[in-house]
Each structure stands twice: as structure tokens, then as C-alpha cells.
């Protein structure tokens, strides 16, 4: 079997296309986004997403490899060979998976290498890498089975690659995740179900009896051993059972308990609020502490800042989670939550009557002004790359105010506050 495996590796078209596979891997890894660099869970997810693009290539090549003997018009020696046919099929599938996993591994090591400098202690999360590995096995196994049953040099590989890719995206349950924030992690049961699907399909791909009958005209038909048929039947039942159970296993990800780690906290100076983040988001901490410092230094006597800002997931309460979020590498989303926290700490929860549209606009304007103060950047730069809806007026007015001289800003802020009847419309924030 080992010699057959070596032959299949040497003859695999993936060996010739290996540089292309590496190019695809790196193009997807760095072309989709780069905010994941320096964040271990995000880097793990970025490496895992690559399998959705390597998978179709593996499915096509696996289909071609499995049907190669019939394509060449050779006798189906597996039907009459003394060696069990599943061993040869297993060697073919293993050769395809070896090259596929090698390309996948290079992408994972690249993601780890470029993250080491910023990410700090830790490494790629194995759960995400296993999820990507299960995707590759599913693609290769389905392609192998299709190639054995419907051998064709062009049609089957192409249809199999495209069909597998579309099916993977349209399944009611997913074999991939697109983002890896540190406040969530993969659940063991859904991951185990997906690994079971991959394993069952791989066993079925190498043990299932062939459907073609061309070889029977050239070689005597020899039935598969009862043990092999039994294994194939069990693999088919297992694959169907695992696919059926996958939607009932629940969501792939769940909230990560804050008790699992020690938050990373820092202050810009002795007077600034403390900012705490998940350890995996350490690279954002200097910018976030700068935001907290700027919010505490607005120069407005009515502005009160809390003693501490925490990232989403680090302080879940019965009232919800008021932590800030970092979305796809944008700390501007953290400014949203920080500004809201400062406003409610300073003024309270304000609910003017619906008829008081100018008061509602003043609240939005002050929120946006606080956000711009937190970023410390020109409003146009701060909003770059974001698509905000429903706040165009607030962006315009607060952006103009943020560019005013300090005296003019104070007058503008005082005018906006005057629009809000705080004693009547605002309640003290009891969750301070």
C-alpha cells in the first residue's frame, strides 16, 4: 500500500499544480483582509477560510484520480487483484489529501509567522484548523467517490468541484466561519459532528462498490468481501446520520466565558480610565487607551467618564453587555460604545417625546461629537471604510463642530445640550 501511495503522489496533477495551490492559498489569506494579523483567533479563521477555495480544486483532482484507470481504458484490475481494492483507493485519496493538507499547512504556518510579532503569547486555535481540515476531507472524499462512480476526464471533475462548492455554501449548517472574535469559540459537539461527516465520507469513498460495469467485460467479476461491504454500509449510514444530526447539534460557536482568561488592562496615564481587552486583542490596547484618555479630556465640565471600559464579553450582566466591540479590525466601532457609555454616565438615558425631533437630533449630534473626540482624527479619516446609516446629519454637524476652535466647540456643545430637557427626559444611568 505504501508503494502505491508513493506512485499516486508522484502521478498526482496536484504535484504539478502545487505552486498554484500555494498562490491561491496566500492570495485568499492576504487578499480578503489583513486585520487578522496579530490576533490568534482571527488568524486561525483566516487560515481556515482558505479551505473553501482549495477544496474545489481537491474535489476535481480527486475525481480525476479516482476515475483515471477507466479513463485510460485499462482493465479494472481492482476487481480481480489479490490485494483488497479499498487499499488502492485509500492510497489514491491519501495522496490527494497529503498535497492538499501540505498546501493548507503552509498557509497556516504563514498566518502564524506574520502574527507572531503582534499577537503575543499563544498560537493558532486548533479548533478552527480542524474545522478547515474537515472541509478539505469532505471535498476530496466526495470528489473521489464521484470519480469512481462516473469516471470522466473533464465533466465529472468540473461538475464535482463546482457542485461541492455551491453545496457547501448552501447547506443549512456551515463547515466554516468567517470571523473569529475572541469573545466566542467553537463548540465541541458541532465540531465533532463535522469531523464525523468528513471521516464517514472518506471511508465510504474508498470502500463503496463501483457502479461502472465496463471492466466486467474484460475481467471476471469478483464481489467485494462481506467485511468491506459492511464497512461501506456503516460509513454510508454514519455519513447520513452525521449530516442529519448537524443542524441539531447547534451553532458552531458559543460565547467564551470571561473566566477563561485574565483580561489585559492598561491606562494611558494615572488619571485616565482603565481599558480592558481580551488578551488576543492586545495590539489594539494602545489605541483604545488613547481613546479613553481623549474622552476624559474633552474640557467639558458636564462630561463624566467611567472608571473602566471593558471589551464586549468581559463583563456580561443581567442587564446585558455594555462593552465595546472591535469589528473587523475597526476600533471606530469601539468609539461608538465608549461615546455611548460616556453620554449615559454624564447625562443619563434620554427619551424625548417623538415630536421633539430636534432634541433627538441633538442627542445624535453629541454622541457623534464624542466619537470624533475619542478617535482624535479628522472626522473624514475616522469614518473611512465605514458605512453608517441614518446618521448623515449627525456626521455632518458633529464633523463641522470637531473642526472648530475650542471656544466655538464649547458654544456648539452648549447649544446642543440646551435642546435636551435633561430633568424631564433623561434618567440617571443606574448601571454606571
Amino acid at each position: 500500500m505504501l508503494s502505491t501511495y508513493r506512485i499516486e503522489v508522484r502521478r498526482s496533477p496536484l504535484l504539478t499544480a502545487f505552486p498554484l495551490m500555494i498562490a491561491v492559498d496566500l492570495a485568499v489569506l492576504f487578499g480578503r483582509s489583513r486585520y487578522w494579523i496579530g490576533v490568534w483567533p482571527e488568524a486561525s479563521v483566516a487560515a481556515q477560510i482558505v479551505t473553501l477555495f482549495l477544496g474545489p480544486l481537491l474535489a476535481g483532482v480527486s475525481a480525476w484520480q479516482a476515475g483515471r484507470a477507466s479513463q485510460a481504458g485499462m482493465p479494472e484490475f481492482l476487481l480481480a487483484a489479490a490485494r483488497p481494492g479499498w487499499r488502492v483507493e485509500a492510497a489514491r485519496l491519501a495522496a490527494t489529501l497529503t498535497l492538499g493538507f501540505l498546501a493548507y499547512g503552509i498557509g497556516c504556518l504563514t498566518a502564524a509567522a506574520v502574527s507572531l510579532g503582534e499577537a503575543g503569547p499563544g498560537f493558532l486555535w486548533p479548533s478552527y484548523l480542524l474545522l478547515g481540515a474537515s472541509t478539505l476531507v469532505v471535498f476530496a472524499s466526495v470528489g473521489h467517490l464521484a470519480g469512481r462512480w462516473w469516471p470522466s476526464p473533464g465533466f465529472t471533475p468540473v461538475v464535482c468541484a463546482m457542485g461541492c462548492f455551491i453545496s457547501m455554501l448552501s447547506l443549512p449548517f456551515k463547515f466554516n466561519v468567517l470571523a473569529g472574535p475572541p469573545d466566542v469559540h467553537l463548540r465541541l459537539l458541532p465540531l465533532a459532528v463535522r469531523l464525523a461527516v468528513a471521516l464517514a465520507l472518506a471511508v465510504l469513498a474508498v470502500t463503496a462498490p463501483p457502479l461502472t460495469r465496463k471492466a466486467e467485460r474484460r475481467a471476471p467479476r469478483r464481489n467485494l468481501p462481506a467485511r468491506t461491504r459492511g464497512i461501506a454500509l456503516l460509513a454510508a449510514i454514519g455519513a447520513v446520520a452525521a449530516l442529519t444530526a448537524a443542524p441539531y447539534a447547534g451553532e458552531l460557536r458559543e460565547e467564551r466565558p470571561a473566566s477563561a482568561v485574565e483580561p489585559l488592562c492598561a491606562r494611558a496615564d494615572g488619571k485616565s480610565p482603565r481599558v480592558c481587552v481580551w488578551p488576543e486583542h492586545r495590539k489594539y490596547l494602545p489605541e483604545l487607551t488613547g481613546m479613553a484618555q481623549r474622552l476624559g479630556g474633552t474640557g467639558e465640565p458636564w462630561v463624566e467618564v467611567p472608571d473602566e471600559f471593558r471589551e464586549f464579553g468581559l463583563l456580561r450582566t443581567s442587564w446585558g453587555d455594555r462593552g465595546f466591540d472591535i469589528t473587523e479590525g475597526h476600533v471606530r466601532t469601539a468609539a461608538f460604545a465608549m461615546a455611548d457609555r460616556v453620554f449615559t454616565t454624564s447625562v443619563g438615558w434620554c427619551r424625548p417625546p417623538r415630536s421633539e425631533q430636534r432634541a433627538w437630533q441633538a442627542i445624535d449630534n453629541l454622541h457623534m461629537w464624542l466619537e470624533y473626540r475619542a478617535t482624535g482624527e479628522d472626522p473624514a479619516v475616522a469614518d473611512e471604510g465605514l458605512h453608517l446609516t441614518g446618521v448623515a446629519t449627525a456626521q455632518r454637524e458633529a464633523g463641522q463642530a470637531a473642526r472648530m476652535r475650542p471656544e466655538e466647540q464649547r458654544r456648539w456643545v452648549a447649544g446642543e445640550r440646551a435642546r435636551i430637557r435633561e430633568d424631564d427626559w433623561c434618567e440617571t444611568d443606574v448601571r454606571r
Side-chain angles (χ1 to χ4, degrees):
M1 183 175 177
L2 189 58
S3 60
T4 305
Y5 166 76
R6 294 195 189 100
I7 294 173
E8 293 295 335
V9 170
R10 289 197 300 268
R11 298 177 63 183
S12 174
L14 281 180
L15 197 59
T16 304
F18 193 70
L20 176 62
M21 294 174 65
I22 299 301
V24 170
D25 195 333
L26 298 181
V28 175
L29 191 63
F30 293 101
R32 177 175 170 267
S33 66
R34 298 192 181 186
Y35 69 85
W36 53 266
I37 297 176
V39 182
W40 287 125
E42 294 285 10
S44 306
V45 169
Q48 167 262 161
I49 290 175
V50 171
T51 59
L52 282 178
F53 299 88
L54 288 181
L57 181 58
L58 281 186
V61 172
S62 190
W64 187 89
Q65 288 258 84
R68 185 175 57 200
S70 296
Q71 295 163 18
M74 297 168 57
E76 185 56 77
F77 66 92
L78 295 179
L79 294 174
R83 180 180 300 174
W86 66 266
R87 292 190 179 182
V88 179
E89 297 298 344
R92 288 176 178 171
L93 180 58
T96 301
L97 286 174
T98 296
L99 296 173
F101 280 133
L102 186 57
Y104 179 41
I106 289 175
C108 293
L109 292 177
T110 301
V114 298
S115 295
L116 280 173
E118 296 182 79
F123 198 65
L124 299 177
W125 289 15
S127 56
Y128 288 121
L129 302 187
L130 284 174
L131 184 64
S134 70
T135 303
L136 288 182
V137 174
V138 168
F139 272 113
S141 300
V142 172
H144 190 89
L145 187 60
R148 290 186 59 202
W149 283 353
W150 300 287
S152 170
F155 181 79
T156 299
V158 171
V159 171
C160 189
M162 295 180 61
C164 286
F165 180 72
I166 294 172
S167 298
M168 191 67 72
L169 296 179
S170 59
L171 283 172
F173 55 92
K174 299 301 180 184
F175 271 80
N176 60 85
V177 292
L178 301 180
D183 59 290
V184 297
H185 60 181
L186 291 185
R187 296 175 58 227
L188 180 59
L189 179 59
L191 176 60
V193 169
R194 283 155 178 79
L195 291 172
V197 171
L199 178 61
L201 287 176
V203 174
L204 179 63
V206 300
T207 59
L211 295 185
T212 55
R213 297 293 181 266
K214 291 181 180 180
E216 295 181 8
R217 296 193 294 266
R218 301 188 180 186
R221 177 70 176 181
R222 188 180 73 174
N223 293 328
L224 289 176
R227 179 181 298 179
T228 304
R229 287 180 175 272
I231 293 175
L233 180 60
L234 289 176
I237 294 174
V240 172
L243 286 169
T244 304
Y248 300 99
E251 294 294 328
L252 258 174
R253 298 186 297 178
E254 66 179 353
E255 292 181 344
R256 185 184 181 196
S259 58
V261 297
E262 183 67 29
L264 193 62
C265 302
R267 300 177 188 266
D269 56 43
K271 298 180 180 180
S272 299
R274 189 170 74 153
V275 179
C276 295
V277 299
W278 292 92
E280 292 80 10
H281 269 170
R282 66 180 64 242
K283 76 172 186 177
Y284 299 111
L285 195 54
E287 193 168 358
L288 293 169
T289 54
M291 285 184 174
Q293 183 183 40
R294 286 187 288 271
L295 283 171
T298 60
E300 295 289 339
W302 62 274
V303 173
E304 296 182 39
V305 294
D307 295 331
E308 183 180 81
F309 294 102
R310 282 188 171 246
E311 189 175 4
F312 190 85
L314 289 177
L315 189 61
R316 300 183 178 99
T317 67
S318 57
W319 287 317
D321 194 325
R322 300 184 63 191
F324 60 85
D325 200 7
I326 299 172
T327 305
E328 295 186 350
H330 286 291
V331 294
R332 176 74 165 86
T333 56
F336 298 164
M338 286 185 172
D340 180 72
R341 182 83 181 279
V342 169
F343 186 87
T344 54
T345 301
S346 306
V347 180
W349 294 93
C350 300
R351 294 292 182 270
R354 290 185 177 274
S355 58
E356 297 289 341
Q357 292 299 318
R358 186 60 184 84
W360 284 104
Q361 186 61 56
I363 293 173
D364 289 344
N365 291 348
L366 289 174
H367 269 277
M368 193 64 67
W369 177 76
L370 286 169
E371 292 171 21
Y372 289 145
R373 289 302 300 260
T375 61
E377 297 177 321
D378 182 88
V381 176
D383 290 338
E384 186 177 358
L386 295 179
H387 302 284
L388 305 177
T389 58
V391 292
T393 302
Q395 283 181 282
R396 183 179 66 254
E397 296 189 11
Q400 292 173 353
R403 297 184 182 98
M404 295 177 182
R405 294 191 298 272
E407 300 81 7
E408 295 175 331
Q409 279 197 51
R410 281 194 288 271
R411 286 196 296 270
W412 179 85
V413 170
E416 293 303 301
R417 283 195 67 204
R419 300 281 184 179
I420 308 170
R421 289 163 50 185
E422 297 178 18
D423 293 339
D424 298 330
W425 298 337
C426 302
E427 297 180 1
T428 303
D429 181 16
V430 297
R431 297 183 289 176
R432 296 172 61 180

